[in-house]
Amino acid sequence: MSEDNPPSSNGSGNKGWLDKIVQSFTTEPKSKQDLVSVIQESEQSGVINPETREMMEGVMEVSDLRVRDIMIPRAQMMTIDIDETVEEFIPAILESAHSRFPVISEDKDHIEGILLAKDLLAFAFDPSKKLVLKNILRPAVIVPESKRVDVLLKEFRQKRYHMAIVVDEYGGVSGLVTIEDILELIVGEIEDEHDDDEKESDGIKPLNKHTYSVKALTPLEDFNKFFNSKFDEEDADTIGGIVLRAFGHMPSRDEEVVINNILFKVTNSDKRRLVQLKVTMPDTEE
């Protein structure tokens, strides 16, 4: 008998804590909210840790979301014009540190394909090669705004692509979504080797030019310093306290509020506290 599957495990490596959850309650959950309550009570009783609870809740929340709920809006998409030269678009690629870029012609409604930054390496080390941008583009995957997020995640995994262009009912481009956007709904913010530690305060992570993921427990002093904002530190100790005060109630996921021209969107919360916020700063160039 294989040692990889000893008889004592009975194939239930992850079954133990699930059994404990079930055994902790005399009645089985009748609704999704009942199941959420079971999971939260399991955390309180020590059956699972907070990280496991957040992941399980994230999995359930993903099934309720549509692509429009999590996409990067059209106005915040970083794109490359197909007529740009390497000298023109390389600085933007280096500054963003992204790995994939929609390439457009005319405007953002005309997506020619997706440029992978790694495809430029062959030209960087061989000056004799002439770069013709349209020749190295990957096909763009197009999905509707109404597509369910859990279905898209399954397609991402099966077809092994990482970015999709989102279109509205009229066929116009309304944004883009990546596999990382979906995974972060489940496991929380994902740090990678491209995250800029020098530009990032503890609890504040840039998502793009104007949008940031911010922990609700970020001290208000740190928030004001990072964003050069002027929230009164007498009103609250954390930015989550300021947001909660503005709502006047415990907000649920995806609720939004504008404070001092800054848009705050709740991306993670429970019945007792705010966990994570998406902060969109005003576009001063406009």
Side-chain angles (χ1 to χ4, degrees):
M1 183 174 292
S2 171
E3 294 182 358
D4 293 335
N5 296 287
S8 59
S9 70
N10 203 27
S12 58
N14 294 323
K15 190 177 179 181
W17 58 267
L18 286 173
D19 284 341
K20 291 179 182 179
I21 291 178
V22 174
Q23 293 168 3
S24 299
F25 300 89
T26 56
T27 59
E28 64 181 58
K30 302 296 184 183
S31 66
K32 182 176 290 187
Q33 186 54 50
D34 286 347
L35 182 56
V36 170
S37 297
V38 168
I39 293 171
Q40 291 175 346
E41 291 178 30
S42 297
E43 177 197 356
Q44 294 170 4
S45 62
V47 176
I48 59 175
N49 59 38
E51 292 75 17
T52 301
R53 188 264 303 163
E54 289 180 4
M55 288 181 62
M56 294 176 72
E57 290 182 352
V59 169
M60 291 188 292
E61 289 171 355
V62 162
S63 64
D64 292 330
L65 296 176
R66 304 287 174 170
V67 170
R68 69 171 69 91
D69 299 320
I70 68 166
M71 69 181 184
I72 297 171
R74 172 192 176 108
Q76 297 173 5
M77 287 172 53
M78 180 182 174
T79 59
I80 296 172
D81 193 286
I82 197 166
D83 294 324
E84 283 185 298
T85 64
V86 177
E87 291 75 18
E88 289 173 329
F89 67 71
I90 280 294
I93 288 180
L94 295 176
E95 181 181 354
S96 71
H98 294 163
S99 59
R100 292 169 173 80
F101 304 86
V103 177
I104 65 172
S105 61
E106 298 183 36
D107 57 33
K108 291 180 180 178
D109 284 327
H110 296 80
I111 304 291
E112 300 296 325
I114 304 297
L115 171 66
L116 270 60
K118 67 178 184 179
D119 290 340
L120 298 172
L121 292 175
F123 300 89
F125 298 101
D126 189 350
S128 64
K129 286 188 175 181
K130 182 179 179 180
L131 173 60
V132 180
L133 195 53
K134 65 180 181 181
N135 291 343
I136 63 171
L137 298 184
R138 308 294 181 95
V141 176
I142 308 296
V143 299
E145 288 183 351
S146 58
K147 193 178 193 70
R148 281 174 38 185
V149 172
D150 56 343
V151 173
L152 179 60
L153 177 59
K154 183 177 181 180
E155 291 181 4
F156 273 148
R157 295 178 57 201
Q158 289 178 340
K159 300 179 181 179
R160 303 180 67 181
Y161 54 78
H162 295 79
M163 174 186 286
I165 303 298
V166 184
V167 297
D168 59 25
E169 59 185 312
Y170 303 105
V173 172
S174 53
L176 65 80
V177 62
T178 68
I179 191 171
E180 183 176 294
D181 295 326
I182 303 176
L183 293 178
E184 286 185 340
L185 294 173
I186 301 173
V187 302
E189 298 300 321
I190 300 173
E191 304 291 339
D192 61 36
E193 69 274 18
H194 300 301
D195 288 328
D196 192 341
D197 293 331
E198 295 181 356
K199 293 182 180 179
E200 185 175 329
S201 175
D202 186 30
I204 303 175
K205 175 188 173 184
L207 298 178
N208 53 52
K209 186 176 181 181
H210 301 292
T211 307
Y212 301 78
S213 179
V214 179
K215 291 182 180 178
L217 291 179
T218 299
L220 191 55
E221 179 182 1
D222 293 347
F223 186 91
N224 281 336
K225 183 177 180 180
F226 187 92
F227 292 105
N228 195 28
S229 55
K230 302 185 184 300
F231 290 109
D232 191 343
E233 295 176 23
E234 296 293 326
D235 291 340
D237 294 327
T238 67
I239 188 58
I242 293 293
V243 172
L244 194 59
R245 183 188 182 100
F247 275 113
H249 65 275
M250 179 56 67
S252 58
R253 191 188 187 108
D254 292 334
E255 284 196 62
E256 298 179 345
V257 64
V258 176
I259 316 172
N260 296 349
N261 292 325
I262 302 174
L263 174 63
F264 293 88
K265 180 176 181 179
V266 178
T267 56
N268 194 355
S269 68
D270 56 35
K271 293 180 179 179
R272 303 181 304 278
R273 63 191 177 99
L274 298 178
V275 178
Q276 201 79 23
L277 305 167
K278 179 180 284 188
V279 177
T280 303
M281 304 301 293
D283 189 346
T284 54
E285 294 178 359
E286 294 181 355

